[in-house]
């Protein structure tokens, strides 16, 4: 990597929560510490988060729970259902704290965000990253890893190193490393660990003799472009420290879709806030449909400037359940606008807002909830009327949509869900005074 | 010809009011052809099935809404000359929650902290970002359970968790103890009803 000063390309950090869903649960239930724990997705009972202990026990990401049980037995691993409301709130807290460490933050998913350290030449980023890690753990209880590089691809690579190499203690700053150290690390990593390089591309790269990240970094860009296209070529340039791939060009994470931006200038009235949220929701809805998913929950949040401590602070957020899950832009926009109207308070200057679509299910398997919370988005067809008549006469289980599937696997399994510890009065954790 | 004798009131003919597809009065509107499909779909979504027991409009009634402890009133109706001088209504959050991202609420259980003003069922405001000091009321994880204790930093440097009730023994925290400080209780809210 040719030496570049901070001014050329400000360092970028990727900060992400370690086994985020499991970590959220551990904050409120100490019995889960140091144990094999998994969190299951609610629509198909597959593992979406696993503790290090569960990983060591051989649980694979995305594995269906019944298979894990078969293989390892009931007692070996504790399974919990997804508590999206809790994770959304903990994510908001975590992201706000992380955002205190750099002038620019882009939230990528529920547990990952990028920071851009523009104009921070004097800072020891490694030390800053350790402070950040300590503060997030102290204030919110979530362990995070930090990877720093001069491009998003490098930041993500550094983050993987931070996780895998214990001597790095959760922080890897490629910009602060000697060239030989960087070469050594990149030489030890398989090309498939690079963001955007999947099975097929890495197999073809290996045929060309490119097996390590270092080899990919040093490959001839013209050849790469010719054989693999411009995106992979840009990935190579990113490995060299040159940021040239936008976050929008990256695939969206599967578990949730986030659309969040800072405003061009602070907003202190409701109407422009509504417009901004409408735009973010529309963008997120488009991505949702691209993925052929429907969302069962939408979370909306606002931020006042964290750098202006004189002004009144307000970082509200609300999670709105969508029943049934929907991919309809109008329904999502309606829910988001209603949410913003509730969050907004006069006298505050908001600088950022965001929308997250959560509880994603495949669009074809939307549960036919016959008494949906929103009246507007379901078109009451004659079929729906007939279903109502059958249900009224014979009971709720008598009839269901064929698209729901006949296997119990489709049923939203929430029997192992914990409480909404931070968002519902009735669910507050208890503390014994004895 | 004027009616000369009283007739039974004419039965209203035709469709009853508000029984059409929308359950409310409608109007005719000219729109650009290009937006017609989008608007048609949007309008269709407002059709009402008269068999719905509650035909609530698209406004969402989300059960998960959290409200600040004391809701500041939104102004509605005509703007008033007083608006420019209006101050925000007082919000308990501003007084008791100093670092919202690091503040969590818990419910106290048991009577052993009465001497410290904490009763069974009280709301505890727990701040994870505050540095615990000698005599801080803390939430500590003891044997995987959340407990409320007093932090006692003794002259010899040893750190102890003391119960509110002097009948119970204190617990020393050292490197091997499986005890963690979760946060500092910075406030208590009591419902006296």
């Amino acid at each position: 990597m040719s030496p570049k000063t901070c001014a050329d390309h400000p360092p970028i950090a990727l900060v992400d929560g370690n086994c985020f869903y499991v970590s959220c649960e551990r904050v409120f239930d100490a019995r889960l510490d140091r144990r094999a724990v998994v969190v299951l997705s609610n629509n198909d009972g597959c593992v979406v988060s696993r503790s290090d202990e569960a990983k060591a026990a051989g649980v694979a990401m995305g594995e269906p729970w019944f298979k894990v049980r078969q293989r390892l037995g009931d007692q070996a691993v504790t399974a919990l259902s997804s508590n999206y409301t809790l994770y959304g709130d903990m994510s908001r807290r975590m992201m706000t704290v992380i955002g205190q460490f750099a002038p620019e933050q882009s939230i990528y998913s529920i547990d990952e965000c990028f920071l851009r350290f523009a104009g921070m030449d004097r800072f020891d980023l490694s030390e800053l990253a350790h402070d950040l890690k300590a503060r997030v753990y102290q204030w919110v209880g979530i362990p995070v890893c930090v990877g720093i590089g001069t491009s998003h691809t490098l930041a993500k690579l550094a983050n993987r190193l931070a996780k895998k190499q214990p001597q790095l203690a959760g922080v890897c700053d490629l910009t602060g490393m000697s060239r030989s150290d960087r070469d050594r690390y990149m030489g030890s990593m398989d090309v498939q660990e690079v963001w955007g390089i999947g099975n097929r591309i890495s197999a073809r790269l290996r045929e060309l003799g490119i097996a390590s990240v270092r080899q990919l970094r040093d490959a001839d860009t013209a050849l790469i472009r010719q054989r693999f296209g411009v995106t992979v070529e840009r990935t190579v340039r990113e490995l060299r420290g040159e940021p040239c791939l936008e976050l929008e060009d990256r695939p969206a994470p599967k578990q949730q879709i986030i659309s969040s931006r800072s405003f061009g200038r602070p907003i202190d009235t409701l109407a422009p806030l509504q417009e901004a949220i409408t735009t973010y929701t529309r963008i997120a809805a488009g991505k949702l449909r691209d993925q052929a998913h429907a969302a069962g929950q939408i979370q909306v949040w606002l931020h006042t400037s964290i750098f202006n401590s004189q002004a009144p602070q307000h970082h509200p957020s609300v999670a709105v359940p969508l029943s049934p899950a929907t991919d309809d832009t109008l329904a999502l926009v309606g829910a988001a606008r209603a949410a913003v109207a509730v969050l907004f308070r006069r006298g505050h200057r908001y600088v950022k807002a965001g929308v997250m679509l959560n509880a994603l299910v495949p669009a074809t398997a939307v549960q036919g909830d016959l008494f949906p919370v929103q009246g507007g988005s379901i078109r009451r067809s004659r079929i729906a009327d007939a279903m109502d008549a059958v249900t009224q006469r014979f009971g709720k289980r008598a009839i269901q949509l064929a698209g729901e599937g006949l296997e119990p696997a489709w049923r939203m399994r929430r029997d192992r869900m914990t409480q909404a510890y931070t968002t519902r009065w009735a669910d507050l954790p208890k503390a014994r005074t004895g | 010809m004027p009616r000369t004798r009283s007739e039974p009131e004419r039965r209203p003919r035709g469709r009853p009011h508000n029984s059409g597809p929308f359950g409310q009065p409608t109007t005719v509107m000219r729109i650009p052809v290009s937006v017609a499909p989008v608007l048609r779909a949007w309008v269709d979504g407002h059709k009402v099935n008269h068999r719905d027991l509650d035909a609530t409009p698209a406004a969402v009634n989300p059960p998960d809404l959290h409200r600040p402890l004391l809701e500041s009133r939104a102004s509605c109706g005509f703007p008033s000359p007083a608006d420019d001088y209006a101050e925000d209504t007082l919000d308990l959050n501003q007084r008791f929650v100093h670092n919202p991202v690091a503040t969590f609420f818990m419910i106290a259980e048991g009577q052993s902290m009465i001497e410290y003003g904490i009763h069974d069922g009280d709301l505890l405001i727990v701040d994870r970002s505050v540095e615990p000091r000698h005599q801080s009321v803390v939430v500590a994880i003891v044997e995987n359970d959340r407990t409320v204790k007093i932090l006692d930093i003794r002259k010899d440097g040893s750190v102890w968790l003391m119960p509110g009730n002097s009948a119970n023994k204190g617990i020393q925290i050292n490197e091997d103890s499986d005890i963690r400080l979760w946060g500092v209780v910075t406030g208590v809210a009591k419902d006296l009803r």
Side-chain angles (χ1 to χ4, degrees):
Chain A
M1 182 152 64
S2 54
K4 289 214 189 294
T5 62
C6 275
D8 295 1
H9 295 298
I12 295 174
L14 171 63
V15 185
D16 73 342
N18 300 348
C19 29
F20 182 67
Y21 293 170
V22 170
S23 295
C24 287
E25 303 281 1
R26 280 176 164 169
V27 175
F28 298 98
D29 187 354
R31 290 167 303 174
L32 301 173
D33 285 349
R34 295 183 298 268
R35 300 247 307 261
V37 182
V38 296
V39 173
L40 309 175
S41 78
N42 283 345
N43 68 311
D44 57 2
C46 291
V47 174
V48 290
S49 181
R50 46 183 187 155
S51 67
D52 288 344
E53 296 80 1
K55 190 171 172 186
V59 179
M61 223 19 168
E63 198 179 351
W65 169 236
F66 73 88
K67 280 205 181 144
V68 176
R69 250 162 101 181
Q70 266 171 15
R71 264 192 315 117
L72 303 174
D74 240 332
Q75 306 305 319
V77 180
T78 307
L80 297 170
S81 305
S82 291
N83 187 343
Y84 300 114
T85 313
L86 177 69
Y87 309 151
D89 185 61
M90 294 298 274
S91 169
R92 178 188 58 92
R93 292 168 184 264
M94 180 176 85
M95 295 301 178
T96 308
V97 175
I98 294 171
Q100 293 171 348
F101 286 84
E104 288 173 49
Q105 178 187 32
S106 308
I107 299 177
Y108 182 68
S109 74
I110 198 171
D111 67 340
E112 292 164 278
C113 72
F114 289 93
L115 296 177
R116 201 161 163 270
F117 298 110
M120 289 174 67
D121 297 14
R122 300 264 188 86
F123 283 77
D124 178 346
L125 291 180
S126 194
E127 196 182 314
L128 187 83
H130 279 291
D131 286 347
L132 185 159
K133 194 172 145 64
R135 182 180 290 185
V136 174
Y137 190 64
Q138 174 73 29
W139 287 19
V140 189
I142 305 287
V144 301
C145 279
V146 184
I148 305 176
T150 50
S151 67
H152 292 109
T153 306
L154 280 176
K156 191 127 184 169
L157 198 77
N159 185 284
R160 284 191 85 119
L161 277 171
K163 285 199 167 51
K164 287 187 163 188
Q165 308 272 345
Q167 74 276 13
L168 292 172
V171 171
C172 174
D173 178 10
L174 289 174
T175 67
M177 255 184 220
S178 69
R179 193 197 180 116
S180 57
D181 278 345
R182 269 201 301 269
D183 286 352
R184 191 167 42 85
Y185 277 126
M186 288 199 189
S188 69
M189 294 176 87
D190 187 278
V191 91
Q192 200 161 335
E193 306 211 54
V194 175
W195 201 7
I197 306 289
N199 287 343
R200 286 193 322 208
I201 298 181
S202 59
R204 286 169 57 200
L205 283 169
R206 261 180 236 116
E207 283 169 26
L208 291 176
I210 301 173
S212 75
V213 175
R214 180 178 170 177
Q215 286 168 326
L216 180 62
R217 180 199 69 186
D218 297 339
D220 175 29
T221 47
L223 174 71
I224 297 287
R225 187 185 182 122
Q226 187 192 55
R227 299 279 186 100
F228 297 94
V230 67
T231 307
V232 180
E233 184 221 344
R234 290 208 178 126
T235 300
V236 173
R237 281 163 51 198
E238 288 234 327
L239 285 176
R240 295 182 187 177
E242 186 195 326
C244 46
L245 278 171
E246 293 299 322
L247 269 188
E248 283 76 35
D249 298 332
R250 308 276 187 181
K254 294 283 180 250
Q255 299 298 329
Q256 68 289 131
I257 293 171
I258 295 189
S259 181
S260 169
R261 305 265 169 88
S262 299
F263 306 138
R265 45 170 188 79
I267 297 179
D268 58 2
T269 51
L270 183 57
L273 264 186
Q274 298 278 39
E275 279 173 28
I277 282 293
T278 302
T279 305
Y280 302 166
T281 309
R282 248 197 324 102
I283 294 172
K287 292 188 191 171
L288 183 68
R289 280 193 298 278
D290 286 347
Q291 274 178 221
H293 277 137
Q297 188 188 71
I298 180 169
Q299 187 179 356
V300 179
W301 65 88
L302 301 174
H303 282 299
T304 51
S305 171
I306 45 178
F307 298 111
N308 184 359
S309 48
Q310 306 296 3
Q313 294 285 301
H314 196 212
H315 306 282
S317 121
V318 66
V320 180
L322 301 162
S323 168
T326 178
D327 63 356
D328 176 14
T329 304
L330 294 165
L332 293 169
V333 166
R337 289 175 72 101
V340 167
V342 169
L343 296 178
F344 172 73
R345 258 196 223 159
R346 271 176 47 206
H348 288 84
R349 289 157 62 82
Y350 297 101
V351 296
K352 194 169 179 181
V355 154
M356 174 162 67
L357 302 179
N358 233 341
L360 303 190
V361 295
T364 50
V366 169
Q367 292 226 299
D369 192 345
L370 289 168
F371 301 98
V373 171
Q374 302 138 250
S377 67
I378 293 290
R379 279 177 230 156
R380 295 304 223 144
S381 65
R382 292 189 1 224
I383 295 173
D385 292 348
M387 283 180 73
D388 286 351
V390 169
T391 311
Q392 272 170 26
R393 183 137 176 237
F394 297 105
K396 225 170 177 187
R397 291 207 162 296
I399 187 169
Q400 63 186 59
L401 297 173
E404 289 177 54
L406 298 169
E407 287 95 44
W410 281 128
R411 295 259 161 263
M412 261 247 207
R413 284 212 191 282
R414 312 184 98 197
D415 5 296
R416 300 164 191 262
M417 195 166 76
T418 54
Q419 302 140 246
Y421 297 108
T422 64
T423 52
R424 222 175 268 161
W425 292 115
D427 286 359
L428 291 183
K430 310 259 196 313
R432 275 189 311 110
T433 58
Chain B
M1 247 177 92
R3 280 186 245 151
T4 50
R5 56 189 168 90
S6 59
E7 279 178 342
E9 202 172 289
R10 285 183 62 189
R11 262 186 311 111
R13 307 273 157 81
R15 176 167 75 65
H17 285 309
N18 293 346
S19 66
F22 298 99
Q24 53 180 300
T26 57
T27 186
V28 170
M29 203 178 200
R30 278 199 174 282
I31 54 170
V33 167
S34 57
V35 302
V38 174
L39 283 183
R40 185 167 297 129
W42 185 75
V43 162
D44 276 350
H46 280 72
K47 285 189 176 159
V48 166
N49 177 350
H50 292 280
R51 256 167 288 169
D52 280 350
L53 292 177
D54 62 323
T56 46
V60 173
N61 185 22
D64 279 21
L65 275 179
H66 82 278
R67 300 180 193 279
L69 227 46
L70 198 65
E71 210 172 85
S72 38
R73 264 172 262 123
S75 68
C76 31
F78 293 100
S80 134
D83 280 352
D84 288 341
Y85 299 93
E87 288 176 356
D88 212 0
T89 50
L90 293 179
D91 179 1
L92 282 176
N93 281 303
Q94 281 167 0
R95 186 169 170 116
F96 287 101
V97 179
H98 303 290
N99 192 357
V101 292
T103 302
F104 297 83
F105 298 151
M106 295 189 179
I107 301 287
E109 260 183 347
Q111 298 285 62
S112 297
M113 292 287 279
I114 291 185
E115 288 167 46
Y116 291 84
I118 298 174
H119 293 77
D120 183 62
D122 282 352
L123 183 82
L124 302 173
I125 297 155
V126 187
D127 192 330
R128 289 180 64 107
S129 65
V130 170
E131 193 63 38
R133 296 183 305 203
H134 177 58
Q135 294 291 292
S136 290
V137 179
V138 296
V139 172
I141 310 286
V142 176
E143 286 170 13
N144 293 331
D145 247 348
R146 279 182 294 271
T147 58
V148 188
K149 302 277 188 195
I150 313 294
L151 192 68
D152 188 10
I153 304 178
R154 302 205 174 154
K155 293 219 177 73
D156 62 6
S158 60
V159 181
W160 289 74
L161 285 177
M162 303 306 292
N165 184 341
S166 41
N168 299 345
K169 284 202 303 223
I171 312 170
Q172 184 173 14
I173 308 179
N174 43 41
E175 265 131 42
D176 3 297
S177 30
D178 191 20
I179 297 177
R180 275 198 330 252
L181 292 188
W182 199 95
V184 175
V185 180
T186 55
V188 183
K190 300 167 145 356
D191 198 335
L192 293 180
R193 286 175 299 173

